[in-house]
Each structure stands twice: as C-alpha cells, then as structure tokens.
Amino acid sequence: MTQVEAPAWAPMTAEERAQFDRDGFLVVRGVLSESEIALARNAVLGAFERAGQPGGHGLGATGALHQLSAVTSLPELAFLLDHPVAFRYIWSLLGWNVHVYHSHIDVHPQIHEKQKEWWHWHQDGGRQNREIETDPRPTLSVKLAYWLSDVSETGRGNFTVLPGSHKTNWLPGPPNRGTPWPQPEGALQITANPGDLVVFDRRLWHARSDNYSDVTRVGAFFGYTYRWIAGRDEVADLPNTPEWAGFNDVQKQLLGHCPQGDGSGDHAWGHYPETTPLYGALKEKGLLDSSIPALIP
C-alpha cells in the first residue's frame, strides 16, 4: 500500500491513477490541518453526545453512532465536501457533473464484550450491485473517508479492505452473514492518523472491524456520484436553512441544488455545464482536460 501526499487543486498524477486503478483506494496523509481536525471532530462528537440523550438520534447496540446526511445533520462539516486537497480526487476521477449522494458520520467507542461473528464485507451502491449486469461493474461513485481519531494501530475499528477487489463482482463468503467465516485472504486493516484521508472506489470490498481498544473511532464519510444518479441523503430542505447562505456554489451543487440551474433532469444530465458551479471552477483554473474523459470541456 503506497501512501501519497497531495497538493490542493491539482489533478491526480499518473502514478496516483495507476495505484487507484490497481488497488481501488489511496491513503492520503495529513489532508486536514489541526484546526480542521478539531472543528470536525468536535462537531461529530457533539452529535454523538446529543444522540445518546433522551429524544436524541439514538445509538446502536454497542453505543455507536452511524448518522446519515452528514451536512444536513452538521452544517459545520460543509467544508469537507470540497476540501481542496481531498476533492481533487473526486473531480479527477468523476469529473464536474457530480453530487454527494450518500454521507454519514460515525463514532465507535470501545466495545467491552466480544461481538457475535458477522460478515460485514460489502461493496457500496446497494442495488447497483444486483441490477447492473457488466463484469466488472462500473465505478459510478467514489468515497472520501476522513479520519478524525487515531487509528494508527490495528484493532481500533479500522477500515478494512481487500486491495484490488474492486474489479471482482462477487466475494466468496458464508451462506448467511451470521455464519462464522474467515476473513478474505489478503484483507488489510488501514491505519491512519487524525487528518488522514482514504479515497476508495465504491466497488472495493470493505468492512469495518470491531473496536475493542480504548480509543474511540471517529470519522466522516462522503460518497460522490454523477448528478444523474439519485441521492440518498436528506438535502431537500437545506436551502431553507439559515446555514445555506454560508455555503459556496460548489458546495450547493454537491448538496443537490445548483444555484443557477433549473432543477430539471436535463440539468442533472450535464447539458448545461456553464451553469454547473464545479465546471466553472475547473474551467477558471484551467483544469478541464480533453485527454481525461471526465474532464472533457
């Protein structure tokens, strides 16, 4: 596993593309500054505390939080949507006609009792993995995983992947998820420091490991796809919130509302690039590139 460091607002390098194509993921070190880590971590831990209170969102059986629609839940996380160092991977891979279709925040404190065996391995995309017949299936979406806690050692609820599995439609496994079964050969627990980023192809077979350590696992996850694919996040009412005015136009696009668009299916299909904010931002910076299909002007 090669680790890379990335500049802001620069396309992926050929080496990064080759690694991503081979492994299905990249680990990018030190993406967030100390102040950005603190802002995001405090926001997520605040949501965790509120969720555990009477009338709150509620916590899982092990006391963990898995809350969807990250920016709707925590508008202060909007800066992660288009963070210049992280977001470069999205527009480099998917182009300018994108939005966030699925996002979540996660907090996993220490588990004190051994958990029942459960097969957590999966690909993102839900029904896409049953209803698209090609082999391998297309990428369609890419996810950014921001780490807001120290998972620099294994056993801390680490994100676990099977490198290179993104081009495999089926992973041999148990007859049902509750049947004890060995981990896939070659499975890797990714280690990361606060502020590190994992970029991964939705097709990559992955799982979350259980956290038996005394370090609470904290992260924020954003899945990007083409605007012609329906979103899962609850964002319809965001334009009516007081925070909306503070979001930039690219963030508004990513949240499903192009400020100059007409809300039509044609606009989502990319027929009007000049009124699609990310297209304009990339054009202004000279980052549209006819040699890269996703970035053709």
Side-chain angles (χ1 to χ4, degrees):
M1 176 181 63
T2 303
Q3 299 160 3
V4 298
E5 295 183 358
W9 281 108
M12 291 176 70
T13 65
E15 292 77 13
E16 288 174 327
R17 285 186 180 276
Q19 181 183 335
F20 191 82
D21 182 65
R22 182 192 70 222
D23 297 338
F25 70 98
L26 296 170
V27 180
V28 190
R29 302 298 183 187
V31 167
L32 300 181
S33 67
E34 290 297 326
S35 61
E36 289 171 333
I37 295 168
L39 191 163
R41 178 180 171 86
N42 290 340
V44 174
L45 288 178
F48 174 66
E49 182 178 352
R50 291 189 297 274
Q53 296 173 353
H57 177 83
L59 301 175
T62 62
L65 174 68
H66 177 69
Q67 188 165 332
L68 304 181
S69 304
V71 173
T72 302
S73 304
L74 295 172
E76 55 265 58
L77 296 185
F79 78 97
L80 296 177
L81 292 168
D82 61 341
H83 190 285
V85 180
F87 190 45
R88 63 190 287 268
Y89 295 101
I90 299 303
W91 54 259
S92 290
L93 290 163
L94 298 178
W96 50 267
N97 194 38
V98 295
H99 67 159
V100 171
Y101 79 106
H102 174 49
S103 61
H104 50 94
I105 55 173
D106 286 75
V107 180
H108 291 268
Q110 182 179 20
I111 298 173
H112 296 282
E113 296 181 1
K114 177 68 175 176
Q115 297 297 291
K116 179 183 176 181
E117 293 283 349
W118 193 259
W119 184 258
H120 289 289
W121 288 90
H122 66 283
Q123 295 174 307
D124 287 347
R127 296 294 302 183
Q128 291 173 348
N129 298 313
R130 294 182 180 270
E131 295 169 357
I132 295 177
E133 71 277 9
T134 58
D135 188 3
R137 288 180 284 264
T139 302
L140 293 180
S141 67
V142 174
K143 208 167 195 177
L144 301 181
Y146 292 95
W147 297 108
L148 306 174
S149 62
D150 184 350
V151 287
S152 60
E153 298 178 9
T154 60
R156 296 182 174 180
N158 302 65
F159 181 60
T160 307
V161 303
L162 189 61
S165 62
H166 57 302
K167 296 183 180 179
T168 302
N169 279 1
W170 184 254
L171 186 67
N176 59 70
R177 289 189 177 273
T179 298
W181 204 263
Q183 293 291 298
E185 184 177 354
L188 173 71
Q189 287 194 28
I190 292 179
T191 55
N193 293 308
D196 289 349
L197 176 79
V198 178
V199 186
F200 66 99
D201 186 314
R202 68 150 194 100
R203 302 171 297 173
L204 182 71
W205 287 91
H206 61 281
R208 175 186 52 77
S209 58
D210 289 328
N211 181 17
Y212 293 105
S213 78
D214 59 3
V215 177
T216 297
R217 174 192 191 263
V218 185
F221 302 78
F222 297 85
Y224 299 76
T225 192
Y226 303 105
R227 292 172 59 227
W228 39 265
I229 295 177
R232 182 181 177 187
D233 277 4
E234 299 294 337
V235 295
D237 293 332
L238 273 176
N240 301 320
T241 64
E243 293 85 6
W244 186 253
F247 298 160
N248 65 46
D249 284 354
V250 170
Q251 291 169 350
K252 291 176 179 178
Q253 171 187 327
L254 296 174
L255 292 168
H257 302 274
C258 281
Q260 297 177 349
D262 59 6
S264 68
D266 272 355
H267 201 281
W269 274 43
H271 290 321
Y272 305 99
E274 298 295 343
T275 54
T276 304
L278 182 54
Y279 178 92
L282 294 173
K283 183 178 181 180
E284 181 181 355
K285 296 177 183 296
L287 293 170
L288 298 174
D289 186 344
S290 296
S291 68
I292 301 173
L295 294 176
I296 293 174

